[in-house]
Coordinates of all heavy atoms in Angstrom, one line a residue:
R1 N -9.1 -26.1 20.0 CA -10.5 -26.0 19.6 C -11.3 -25.2 20.7 O -12.1 -24.4 20.5 CB -11.0 -27.4 19.4 CG -12.5 -27.4 19.1 CD -12.9 -28.8 18.7 NE -14.3 -28.8 18.5 CZ -14.9 -28.8 17.3 NH1 -14.2 -28.8 16.2 NH2 -16.3 -28.9 17.2
R2 N -11.0 -25.5 22.0 CA -11.7 -24.9 23.0 C -11.5 -23.4 23.0 O -12.4 -22.6 23.2 CB -11.4 -25.4 24.4 CG -12.0 -24.9 25.6 CD -11.9 -25.6 26.8 NE -12.7 -24.9 27.9 CZ -12.2 -24.8 29.1 NH1 -11.0 -25.2 29.5 NH2 -12.9 -24.1 29.9
Q3 N -10.3 -23.0 22.8 CA -9.9 -21.6 22.9 C -10.7 -20.9 21.7 O -11.2 -19.8 21.8 CB -8.3 -21.4 22.7 CG -7.9 -20.0 22.8 CD -6.4 -19.9 22.7 OE1 -5.7 -20.7 22.2 NE2 -5.9 -18.8 23.2
R4 N -10.7 -21.5 20.5 CA -11.5 -20.9 19.4 C -12.9 -20.7 19.7 O -13.5 -19.7 19.5 CB -11.4 -21.8 18.1 CG -12.1 -21.3 16.9 CD -11.8 -22.1 15.7 NE -12.4 -21.6 14.5 CZ -13.7 -21.8 14.2 NH1 -14.5 -22.5 14.9 NH2 -14.2 -21.3 13.1
Q5 N -13.5 -21.6 20.3 CA -15.0 -21.5 20.8 C -15.1 -20.5 21.8 O -16.1 -19.7 21.7 CB -15.4 -22.9 21.3 CG -15.5 -24.0 20.3 CD -15.9 -25.3 21.0 OE1 -15.6 -25.6 22.2 NE2 -16.4 -26.3 20.2
M6 N -14.2 -20.2 22.6 CA -14.2 -19.2 23.6 C -14.2 -17.8 23.0 O -14.9 -16.8 23.2 CB -13.2 -19.3 24.7 CG -13.5 -20.4 25.7 SD -12.1 -20.8 26.8 CE -11.6 -19.2 27.4
C7 N -13.2 -17.7 22.0 CA -13.1 -16.4 21.3 C -14.4 -16.0 20.5 O -14.8 -15.0 20.4 CB -12.0 -16.5 20.2 SG -10.4 -16.5 21.1
I8 N -15.0 -17.1 19.8 CA -16.3 -16.9 19.1 C -17.4 -16.5 20.1 O -18.1 -15.6 19.8 CB -16.6 -18.1 18.3 CG1 -15.7 -18.2 17.1 CG2 -18.0 -18.0 17.7 CD1 -15.8 -19.5 16.4
R9 N -17.5 -17.1 21.2 CA -18.5 -16.9 22.2 C -18.4 -15.5 22.6 O -19.4 -14.8 23.0 CB -18.4 -18.0 23.2 CG -19.4 -17.8 24.3 CD -19.2 -18.5 25.6 NE -18.0 -17.8 26.3 CZ -17.2 -18.5 26.9 NH1 -17.1 -19.7 27.2 NH2 -16.1 -17.7 27.5
D10 N -17.2 -14.9 22.8 CA -17.0 -13.7 23.5 C -17.1 -12.5 22.5 O -16.8 -11.3 22.9 CB -15.7 -13.6 24.2 CG -15.6 -14.5 25.3 OD1 -16.7 -15.0 25.9 OD2 -14.5 -14.9 25.8
R11 N -17.4 -12.7 21.3 CA -17.5 -11.7 20.2 C -18.9 -11.1 20.2 O -19.9 -11.8 20.4 CB -17.1 -12.2 18.8 CG -15.6 -12.7 18.8 CD -14.6 -11.5 19.1 NE -13.4 -12.2 19.5 CZ -12.8 -11.8 20.7 NH1 -13.3 -11.0 21.5 NH2 -11.7 -12.4 21.1
D12 N -19.0 -9.8 19.8 CA -20.2 -9.2 19.5 C -21.0 -9.7 18.3 O -22.2 -9.9 18.2 CB -20.2 -7.6 19.5 CG -19.7 -7.1 20.8 OD1 -20.1 -7.6 21.8 OD2 -19.1 -6.0 20.7
K13 N -20.2 -10.0 17.3 CA -20.7 -10.4 16.0 C -19.6 -11.1 15.1 O -18.4 -10.8 15.4 CB -21.4 -9.3 15.2 CG -20.3 -8.3 14.8 CD -21.1 -7.1 14.0 CE -20.1 -5.9 13.8 NZ -20.8 -4.9 13.1
I14 N -20.0 -11.8 14.2 CA -19.1 -12.4 13.2 C -19.5 -11.9 11.8 O -20.7 -12.0 11.5 CB -19.1 -13.9 13.3 CG1 -18.5 -14.4 14.6 CG2 -18.2 -14.5 12.2 CD1 -18.7 -15.9 14.8
V15 N -18.6 -11.3 11.1 CA -18.9 -10.7 9.8 C -18.1 -11.6 8.7 O -16.9 -11.8 8.9 CB -18.5 -9.3 9.6 CG1 -18.8 -8.8 8.2 CG2 -19.1 -8.5 10.7
Y16 N -18.9 -12.1 7.7 CA -18.3 -12.9 6.6 C -18.2 -12.0 5.3 O -19.3 -11.4 5.0 CB -19.2 -14.1 6.3 CG -19.0 -15.1 7.5 CD1 -20.1 -15.2 8.5 CD2 -18.0 -16.0 7.5 CE1 -20.0 -16.1 9.6 CE2 -17.8 -16.9 8.6 CZ -18.9 -16.9 9.6 OH -18.8 -17.7 10.6
Y17 N -17.3 -12.2 4.6 CA -17.0 -11.4 3.3 C -16.8 -12.4 2.2 O -15.9 -12.2 1.5 CB -15.9 -10.3 3.4 CG -16.3 -9.2 4.2 CD1 -16.1 -9.0 5.6 CD2 -17.0 -8.1 3.5 CE1 -16.6 -8.0 6.3 CE2 -17.4 -7.1 4.2 CZ -17.2 -6.9 5.6 OH -17.7 -5.8 6.4
G18 N -17.7 -13.3 2.1 CA -17.6 -14.2 1.0 C -17.4 -15.6 1.4 O -16.9 -16.0 2.5
K19 N -17.8 -16.6 0.7 CA -17.6 -18.1 1.1 C -16.3 -18.5 0.8 O -15.8 -19.6 1.4 CB -18.6 -18.8 0.2 CG -20.1 -18.6 0.5 CD -21.0 -19.5 -0.2 CE -22.5 -19.1 0.2 NZ -23.3 -20.1 -0.3
E20 N -15.4 -18.0 -0.1 CA -14.2 -18.3 -0.4 C -13.2 -17.3 -0.3 O -13.6 -16.1 -0.6 CB -14.0 -18.8 -1.9 CG -14.9 -20.2 -2.2 CD -14.4 -21.4 -1.4 OE1 -13.2 -21.4 -1.1 OE2 -15.3 -22.2 -1.0
P21 N -11.9 -17.4 0.0 CA -11.0 -16.3 0.2 C -10.7 -15.7 -1.2 O -10.6 -16.5 -2.1 CB -9.7 -17.0 0.7 CG -10.1 -18.3 1.2 CD -11.4 -18.7 0.6
S22 N -10.7 -14.4 -1.2 CA -10.5 -13.7 -2.5 C -9.9 -12.3 -2.2 O -10.1 -11.8 -1.2 CB -11.7 -13.6 -3.4 OG -12.7 -12.7 -2.8
R23 N -9.3 -11.7 -3.1 CA -8.8 -10.3 -3.0 C -10.0 -9.4 -2.5 O -9.8 -8.6 -1.6 CB -8.2 -9.7 -4.2 CG -7.6 -8.4 -4.2 CD -7.0 -8.0 -5.5 NE -6.5 -6.7 -5.4 CZ -5.4 -6.2 -5.1 NH1 -4.4 -7.0 -4.8 NH2 -5.0 -5.0 -5.2
G24 N -11.2 -9.5 -3.2 CA -12.3 -8.7 -2.8 C -12.8 -8.9 -1.4 O -13.2 -8.0 -0.7
S25 N -12.8 -10.2 -1.0 CA -13.2 -10.5 0.5 C -12.2 -9.9 1.4 O -12.6 -9.4 2.5 CB -13.5 -12.0 0.6 OG -12.3 -12.6 0.6
F26 N -10.9 -9.9 1.1 CA -10.0 -9.5 2.1 C -10.0 -7.9 2.1 O -10.0 -7.3 3.2 CB -8.6 -9.8 1.6 CG -8.3 -11.3 1.7 CD1 -7.5 -11.9 0.7 CD2 -8.7 -12.1 2.8 CE1 -7.3 -13.2 0.8 CE2 -8.4 -13.4 3.0 CZ -7.7 -14.1 1.9
L27 N -10.2 -7.3 1.0 CA -10.4 -5.8 1.0 C -11.7 -5.4 1.8 O -11.7 -4.4 2.5 CB -10.4 -5.3 -0.4 CG -9.0 -5.4 -1.1 CD1 -9.3 -4.9 -2.5 CD2 -8.1 -4.5 -0.5
G28 N -12.7 -6.2 1.6 CA -14.0 -5.8 2.4 C -13.7 -6.0 3.9 O -14.2 -5.2 4.6
R29 N -13.1 -7.1 4.2 CA -12.7 -7.3 5.6 C -11.9 -6.2 6.2 O -12.2 -5.6 7.3 CB -12.0 -8.6 5.8 CG -11.6 -8.9 7.2 CD -10.3 -9.7 7.3 NE -9.2 -9.1 6.5 CZ -8.1 -9.9 6.1 NH1 -8.0 -11.2 6.3 NH2 -7.2 -9.3 5.4
D30 N -11.0 -5.8 5.4 CA -10.0 -4.8 5.9 C -10.7 -3.4 6.1 O -10.5 -2.7 7.0 CB -8.8 -4.6 4.9 CG -7.9 -5.7 5.0 OD1 -8.1 -6.7 5.9 OD2 -7.1 -5.8 4.1
R31 N -11.6 -3.1 5.1 CA -12.3 -1.8 5.2 C -13.3 -1.8 6.4 O -13.4 -0.8 7.1 CB -13.2 -1.6 3.9 CG -12.2 -1.2 2.8 CD -13.0 -0.9 1.5 NE -12.0 -0.3 0.6 CZ -12.4 0.6 -0.4 NH1 -13.7 0.9 -0.5 NH2 -11.6 0.9 -1.2
H32 N -13.9 -3.0 6.7 CA -14.8 -3.1 7.9 C -13.9 -2.8 9.1 O -14.4 -2.3 10.1 CB -15.4 -4.5 7.9 CG -16.3 -4.8 9.1 ND1 -17.5 -4.3 9.2 CD2 -16.0 -5.5 10.2 CE1 -18.0 -4.6 10.3 NE2 -17.1 -5.3 11.0
L33 N -12.7 -3.3 9.2 CA -11.8 -3.2 10.4 C -11.4 -1.7 10.4 O -11.4 -1.2 11.6 CB -10.6 -4.0 10.2 CG -10.9 -5.5 10.4 CD1 -9.6 -6.4 10.1 CD2 -11.3 -5.9 11.9
V34 N -11.2 -1.1 9.4 CA -10.8 0.4 9.4 C -12.0 1.2 9.9 O -11.9 2.2 10.6 CB -10.3 0.8 8.0 CG1 -10.3 2.3 7.9 CG2 -9.0 0.3 7.6
D35 N -13.2 0.9 9.4 CA -14.4 1.6 9.7 C -14.6 1.7 11.3 O -15.1 2.5 11.8 CB -15.6 1.1 8.9 CG -15.6 1.3 7.5 OD1 -14.8 2.3 7.1 OD2 -16.3 0.8 6.8
G36 N -14.2 0.6 11.9 CA -14.5 0.5 13.3 C -13.2 0.8 14.2 O -13.2 0.6 15.4
S37 N -12.2 1.5 13.6 CA -10.9 1.8 14.2 C -10.6 3.3 14.2 O -11.1 4.0 13.3 CB -9.8 0.9 13.6 OG -10.1 -0.4 13.6
K38 N -9.8 3.8 15.1 CA -9.3 5.1 15.1 C -7.9 5.2 14.4 O -7.5 6.1 13.9 CB -9.3 5.6 16.5 CG -9.0 7.1 16.7 CD -9.1 7.5 18.1 CE -8.8 9.0 18.2 NZ -8.9 9.5 19.5
Y39 N -7.2 4.0 14.6 CA -5.8 3.8 14.1 C -5.6 2.6 13.3 O -6.4 1.7 13.5 CB -4.8 3.7 15.4 CG -4.9 4.9 16.4 CD1 -5.6 4.7 17.4 CD2 -4.3 6.1 16.1 CE1 -5.8 5.7 18.5 CE2 -4.4 7.1 17.0 CZ -5.1 6.9 18.2 OH -5.3 7.9 19.1
L40 N -4.6 2.7 12.4 CA -4.2 1.5 11.6 C -2.7 1.4 11.8 O -2.0 2.3 11.6 CB -4.5 1.8 10.1 CG -4.1 0.8 9.2 CD1 -4.8 -0.6 9.3 CD2 -4.1 1.2 7.7
I41 N -2.3 0.2 12.2 CA -1.0 -0.1 12.3 C -0.7 -1.1 11.2 O -1.3 -2.2 11.1 CB -0.7 -0.7 13.7 CG1 -0.9 0.2 14.8 CG2 0.8 -1.2 13.7 CD1 -1.0 -0.5 16.2
C42 N 0.2 -0.9 10.3 CA 0.5 -1.7 9.2 C 2.0 -1.9 8.8 O 2.9 -1.2 9.5 CB -0.1 -1.1 7.9 SG 0.5 0.5 7.5
Y43 N 2.3 -2.7 7.9 CA 3.6 -2.9 7.5 C 3.6 -2.9 5.9 O 3.3 -3.9 5.2 CB 4.3 -4.2 7.8 CG 5.7 -4.2 7.5 CD1 6.7 -3.7 8.4 CD2 6.3 -4.9 6.3 CE1 8.1 -3.7 8.1 CE2 7.6 -4.8 6.0 CZ 8.5 -4.3 6.9 OH 9.8 -4.4 6.7
C44 N 3.5 -1.6 5.3 CA 3.3 -1.4 4.0 C 4.6 -1.1 3.3 O 5.3 -0.1 3.8 CB 2.3 -0.2 3.6 SG 1.8 0.0 2.0
T45 N 5.1 -1.9 2.2 CA 6.4 -1.6 1.6 C 6.3 -1.2 0.1 O 7.2 -0.9 -0.5 CB 7.2 -2.8 1.8 OG1 6.5 -3.9 1.0 CG2 7.4 -3.2 3.1
R46 N 5.1 -1.1 -0.5 CA 4.9 -0.7 -1.8 C 3.5 -0.2 -2.2 O 2.6 -0.5 -1.4 CB 5.2 -1.9 -2.8 CG 4.5 -3.1 -2.5 CD 5.2 -4.4 -3.2 NE 4.5 -5.6 -2.7 CZ 3.5 -6.2 -3.3 NH1 3.1 -5.8 -4.4 NH2 3.0 -7.4 -2.8
P47 N 3.4 0.6 -3.2 CA 2.1 1.3 -3.5 C 1.1 0.5 -4.2 O 0.0 0.9 -4.2 CB 2.5 2.5 -4.3 CG 3.8 2.0 -5.1 CD 4.4 1.1 -4.0
N48 N 1.5 -0.7 -4.7 CA 0.6 -1.5 -5.4 C 0.2 -2.9 -4.7 O 0.5 -3.9 -5.3 CB 1.1 -1.7 -6.9 CG 2.4 -2.2 -6.8 OD1 3.1 -2.4 -5.9 ND2 3.0 -2.8 -8.0
S49 N -0.3 -2.8 -3.5 CA -0.6 -4.0 -2.7 C -1.9 -3.8 -2.1 O -2.4 -2.7 -1.9 CB 0.4 -4.2 -1.7 OG 0.5 -3.2 -0.7
G50 N -2.5 -4.8 -1.6 CA -3.7 -4.9 -0.8 C -3.6 -4.1 0.4 O -4.5 -3.3 0.8
T51 N -2.3 -4.2 1.0 CA -2.2 -3.4 2.2 C -2.1 -1.8 1.8 O -2.8 -1.0 2.6 CB -0.7 -3.7 2.8 OG1 -0.8 -5.1 3.2 CG2 -0.4 -2.8 4.0
A52 N -1.6 -1.5 0.7 CA -1.6 -0.1 0.3 C -3.0 0.4 0.1 O -3.3 1.6 0.4 CB -0.7 0.1 -0.9
L53 N -3.8 -0.4 -0.5 CA -5.2 0.0 -0.7 C -6.0 0.2 0.6 O -6.7 1.2 0.7 CB -6.0 -1.1 -1.5 CG -5.6 -1.2 -2.9 CD1 -6.3 -2.4 -3.6 CD2 -6.0 0.0 -3.7
T54 N -5.7 -0.6 1.6 CA -6.3 -0.4 2.9 C -5.7 0.8 3.6 O -6.5 1.6 4.2 CB -6.0 -1.7 3.8 OG1 -6.6 -2.8 3.2 CG2 -6.7 -1.6 5.1
V55 N -4.5 1.1 3.5 CA -3.9 2.2 4.0 C -4.4 3.5 3.4 O -4.8 4.5 4.1 CB -2.3 2.3 3.8 CG1 -1.8 3.6 4.2 CG2 -1.7 1.1 4.7
K56 N -4.6 3.5 2.1 CA -5.2 4.6 1.4 C -6.6 4.8 1.9 O -7.0 6.0 2.1 CB -5.2 4.4 -0.2 CG -5.8 5.5 -0.9 CD -5.7 5.2 -2.4 CE -6.3 6.3 -3.2 NZ -6.3 6.1 -4.7
Y57 N -7.4 3.8 2.0 CA -8.8 3.9 2.5 C -8.7 4.6 3.9 O -9.6 5.4 4.2 CB -9.5 2.6 2.6 CG -10.9 2.5 3.1 CD1 -11.9 3.0 2.2 CD2 -11.1 2.1 4.4 CE1 -13.2 2.9 2.7 CE2 -12.4 2.1 4.8 CZ -13.5 2.6 3.9 OH -14.8 2.5 4.5
A58 N -7.9 4.1 4.7 CA -7.7 4.6 6.1 C -7.4 6.1 6.1 O -8.1 6.9 6.8 CB -6.8 3.8 6.9
L59 N -6.4 6.4 5.4 CA -6.1 7.9 5.3 C -7.1 8.8 4.7 O -7.4 9.8 5.3 CB -4.9 8.0 4.4 CG -3.5 7.4 5.0 CD1 -2.4 7.3 4.0 CD2 -3.1 8.2 6.2
E60 N -7.9 8.3 3.7 CA -8.9 9.1 3.1 C -10.1 9.2 4.1 O -10.9 10.1 3.9 CB -9.4 8.4 1.8 CG -8.5 8.5 0.6 CD -8.8 7.7 -0.5 OE1 -9.7 6.8 -0.4 OE2 -8.3 8.0 -1.6
N61 N -10.2 8.4 5.0 CA -11.3 8.4 6.0 C -10.9 8.9 7.5 O -11.5 8.6 8.5 CB -12.0 7.0 6.1 CG -12.8 6.7 4.9 OD1 -13.9 7.2 4.8 ND2 -12.2 5.9 4.0
G62 N -9.7 9.6 7.4 CA -9.3 10.4 8.6 C -8.6 9.5 9.7 O -8.6 9.9 10.8
R63 N -8.2 8.3 9.3 CA -7.6 7.4 10.4 C -6.1 7.8 10.6 O -5.5 8.3 9.5 CB -7.8 6.0 10.1 CG -9.2 5.5 10.0 CD -10.1 5.8 11.0 NE -11.4 5.2 11.0 CZ -12.4 5.6 10.5 NH1 -12.4 6.8 9.7 NH2 -13.6 4.9 10.5
T64 N -5.6 7.6 11.7 CA -4.1 7.8 11.9 C -3.5 6.4 11.5 O -4.0 5.5 12.1 CB -3.8 8.2 13.5 OG1 -4.5 9.4 13.7 CG2 -2.4 8.4 13.6
V65 N -2.5 6.6 10.7 CA -1.8 5.3 10.2 C -0.3 5.3 10.8 O 0.4 6.3 10.6 CB -1.8 5.3 8.7 CG1 -1.0 4.1 8.2 CG2 -3.2 5.3 8.2
Y66 N 0.0 4.2 11.3 CA 1.5 3.9 11.7 C 2.0 2.8 10.9 O 1.4 1.8 10.9 CB 1.6 3.5 13.2 CG 0.9 4.6 14.1 CD1 -0.3 4.6 14.8 CD2 1.8 5.6 14.6 CE1 -0.7 5.6 15.6 CE2 1.3 6.7 15.3 CZ 0.2 6.6 15.9 OH -0.3 7.6 16.7
N67 N 2.9 3.2 10.1 CA 3.6 2.2 9.3 C 4.9 1.7 9.8 O 5.8 2.5 10.1 CB 3.7 2.7 7.8 CG 4.2 1.6 6.8 OD1 4.0 0.4 7.1 ND2 4.8 2.1 5.8
A68 N 5.1 0.4 10.0 CA 6.3 -0.1 10.7 C 7.5 -0.2 9.7 O 8.6 -0.4 10.1 CB 6.0 -1.5 11.3
S69 N 7.1 -0.1 8.3 CA 8.3 -0.1 7.4 C 8.7 1.4 7.2 O 8.1 2.4 7.4 CB 7.8 -0.8 6.0 OG 7.2 0.1 5.3
S70 N 9.8 1.5 6.4 CA 10.3 2.9 6.0 C 9.6 3.5 4.8 O 9.9 4.6 4.5 CB 11.8 2.7 5.7 OG 12.0 1.9 4.5
Y71 N 8.7 2.7 4.2 CA 8.0 3.3 3.0 C 7.1 4.5 3.5 O 6.3 4.3 4.5 CB 7.1 2.2 2.3 CG 6.3 2.7 1.3 CD1 6.9 3.0 0.0 CD2 4.9 2.7 1.3 CE1 6.1 3.4 -1.0 CE2 4.1 3.3 0.3 CZ 4.7 3.6 -0.9 OH 4.0 4.0 -2.0
D72 N 6.9 5.5 2.9 CA 6.2 6.7 3.2 C 4.8 6.5 2.7 O 4.5 6.7 1.4 CB 6.8 8.0 2.6 CG 6.0 9.3 2.9 OD1 5.1 9.2 3.8 OD2 6.2 10.3 2.2
V73 N 3.8 6.1 3.5 CA 2.4 5.9 3.0 C 1.7 7.2 2.8 O 0.7 7.1 2.2 CB 1.7 5.0 4.0 CG1 2.4 3.6 4.0 CG2 1.6 5.7 5.4
G74 N 2.2 8.3 3.2 CA 1.5 9.6 3.0 C 1.4 9.8 1.5 O 0.6 10.6 1.2
G75 N 2.3 9.3 0.7 CA 2.2 9.6 -0.7 C 1.1 8.8 -1.4 O 0.8 8.9 -2.6
L76 N 0.3 8.0 -0.8 CA -0.7 7.2 -1.4 C -1.9 8.0 -1.6 O -2.7 7.6 -2.4 CB -1.0 6.0 -0.4 CG 0.0 4.9 -0.2 CD1 -0.4 3.9 0.8 CD2 0.3 4.2 -1.5
I77 N -2.1 9.1 -0.9 CA -3.3 9.9 -1.3 C -2.8 11.3 -1.8 O -1.8 11.7 -1.4 CB -4.2 10.1 0.1 CG1 -3.5 10.8 1.1 CG2 -4.7 8.9 0.5 CD1 -4.4 11.2 2.2
E78 N -3.7 11.9 -2.6 CA -3.4 13.1 -3.2 C -3.6 14.2 -2.1 O -4.5 14.2 -1.3 CB -4.4 13.4 -4.4 CG -4.1 12.6 -5.6 CD -5.0 13.0 -6.7 OE1 -5.4 14.0 -6.8 OE2 -5.1 12.0 -7.6
K79 N -2.7 15.2 -2.1 CA -2.8 16.2 -1.2 C -3.8 17.2 -1.7 O -4.0 17.5 -2.8 CB -1.6 17.0 -1.0 CG -0.4 16.1 -0.6 CD -0.5 15.6 0.9 CE 0.6 14.7 1.2 NZ 0.4 13.7 2.1
K80 N -4.7 17.7 -0.7 CA -5.9 18.6 -1.1 C -5.3 20.1 -0.9 O -4.6 20.4 -0.1 CB -7.0 18.4 -0.2 CG -7.6 17.0 -0.6 CD -8.9 16.8 0.2 CE -9.4 15.4 -0.2 NZ -10.6 15.0 0.6

């Protein structure tokens, strides 16, 4: 409990994306994290998952993505 209080105290802000866990709140949280990052490190194994949606968002917004699985995430966005 003390460690949690220290973590909360040392943060710049706390962002909530809904009162209950849901797919939408997780995607909102993930996009917020991507928006504040230069890199995304993930383990994405299939194109139809929440992780894949976050990876696609990161790629579309110019982030460098490192995927720890053998799945090629580059195919998640259309080539221009």
Side-chain angles (χ1 to χ4, degrees):
R1 181 176 172 99
R2 183 172 180 218
Q3 187 175 20
R4 181 178 183 273
Q5 290 172 338
M6 288 172 44
C7 286
I8 290 173
R9 182 194 70 214
D10 294 339
R11 300 296 160 238
D12 292 330
K13 64 181 176 179
I14 297 175
V15 179
Y16 293 95
Y17 282 93
K19 293 183 179 189
E20 299 293 327
S22 69
R23 182 176 172 98
S25 64
F26 293 138
L27 291 174
R29 174 208 56 198
D30 293 349
R31 286 182 174 210
H32 178 79
L33 292 171
V34 167
D35 290 342
S37 302
K38 188 174 182 180
Y39 304 99
L40 173 67
I41 301 170
C42 64
Y43 191 85
C44 184
T45 59
R46 55 194 167 100
N48 56 349
S49 65
T51 301
L53 290 173
T54 300
V55 168
K56 181 178 179 183
Y57 179 78
L59 291 169
E60 289 172 343
N61 286 279
R63 303 311 190 268
T64 301
V65 175
Y66 296 100
N67 187 21
S69 83
S70 60
Y71 179 73
D72 179 18
V73 295
L76 292 174
I77 61 170
E78 293 183 22
K79 304 294 183 211
K80 294 180 180 178

